[in-house]
Amino acid sequence: MNRRVYLDYAATAPMLPEVERALCSAYTATPGNASTLYLEGRCARQALEGAREELAGVLGCAPQELYFCSGGTEAAGTLIEGIARGAQEQPDERRGRKQVICAAFEHHAVLESALSLKRQGFEVVLLRPNREGYLLPEDLAGVLSENTLLVTVMLAQNELGTVQDVASLASLAHQAGALFVSDCVQAFGKMPFSLDELAVDAACFSAHKLGGPFGVGAFYLRPGVSFLPRQLGGGQERRLRSGTQDVSGAQGFALAARLQTDELLTGERGRLALLRDSLLTQLGQGSDRIRPTILLPSGDAARQLPGFLPLLVRGIESQTMVLKLDELGFAVSGGAACSSASLEPSHVLTSLGIPKDDAYGALRVTLGRGSTAEDCERFGETLLSLL
Ligand code: PLP
């Protein structure tokens, strides 16, 4: 029997073997609670701060600007709610501003958090990208006003792989006196970037998307931004995120982040781009019913994650394809993993203006460290055999 082929690196990246090994020893090496004063606690604290330093080094920020939490969803919600409440309830130059601008293709973690602000009297503006999956600076400039408190745009889109011009968008938001949050969950480990250069006010990250453990994440918050914590309790993470820290999880996250970003320097992006390009050629030559969802660049282009191949297949539904491919040994997604159980077409595809009938045949193939040319070719043949 053929081994299974995993082609859903955007949903989660299988844990790196180096991280798996490190986690096993970390669990026994740091048994203490990082908030306690005795030896075991001090060792745990040292390990936690070591992980924070390592992660900050990879991200291009100061360690004290990073806060550990349980993942991307918590990080996004904490930031959006914390910044919105902070600006209203603390002495702040933005007090009274009530508009939140959100890219319409943000992950549900961001969208739902922003929409929940509506119930608290905020105005939420959803800004549509262009047909190719990019939010244009001129469109943002058109809606920014002196009432804008917060703008949120992700760095890499999780269904399309498009890399947004976050530095320019953040600069526009700042010119209007607004704050800028970026969901960097999908970008982290898949493209080089530095928080220092993006110059955003806040950002969020998740470990399992880059080969680290599940249930671990972090957020970056620029010092000086008014903020009210969502989770109250023991005051860990400098009072911004209470709860006993998962020290070994943080260590696994930092190690995965370093390994994945080091790998970006070794030609891995070029390798993934080549695999994606030849799979796309194979599919295009095999059937006129398959087309890329957006115009994809060939090779390793800065504005597209190289391992992402979003497809629209005519005449067959996403779910049917996903289940048939699963039976035949392939793990691939119909859209975002979190919404793939829904029969509604993805909000991301709808935001691009793709008609419902086309969006029903969406397939998201995402490649990563373990993907090989042979796997991709076998996948291509199998998908074509379903049509
Ligand atoms: N943001 C983006 C862009 C994502 O792709 C995901 C995961 O699907 C999340 C946030 C949520 O992260 P987590 O799974 O760590 O909660």
Side-chain angles (χ1 to χ4, degrees), residues 10-11 70-74 76 107 109-110 154 156-158 183-186 204-209 215-217 336-338 364:
S70 72
T73 302
E74 184 195 332
H107 188 273
V110 170
M154 68 212 311
Q157 212 298 320
N158 57 299
D183 174 351
C184 298
V185 164
Q186 208 51 247
C204 54
F205 315 96
S206 173
H208 76 94
K209 299 286 184 185
V216 185
C338 59
R364 178 186 71 177

Side-chain angles (χ1 to χ4, degrees), residues 39 106 117 135 140 144 161 165 203 238 253 257 273 275 281 307 317 337 344 354 359 361 383:
L39 182 67
E106 292 291 289
L117 293 176
L135 200 80
L140 175 60
L144 280 165
D165 186 0
R238 293 178 309 288
F253 186 9
L275 287 181
T281 308
E317 278 198 356
E344 275 304 297
I354 293 176
L383 176 56

Side-chain angles (χ1 to χ4, degrees), residues 29 54 109 126 156 177 183-184 199 214 251 276 292 305 311 316 375:
E54 185 166 26
L126 297 184
D183 174 351
C184 298
F214 287 108
Q251 287 178 289
R276 179 205 57 205
L305 293 181
L311 297 168
I316 180 165
D375 289 346

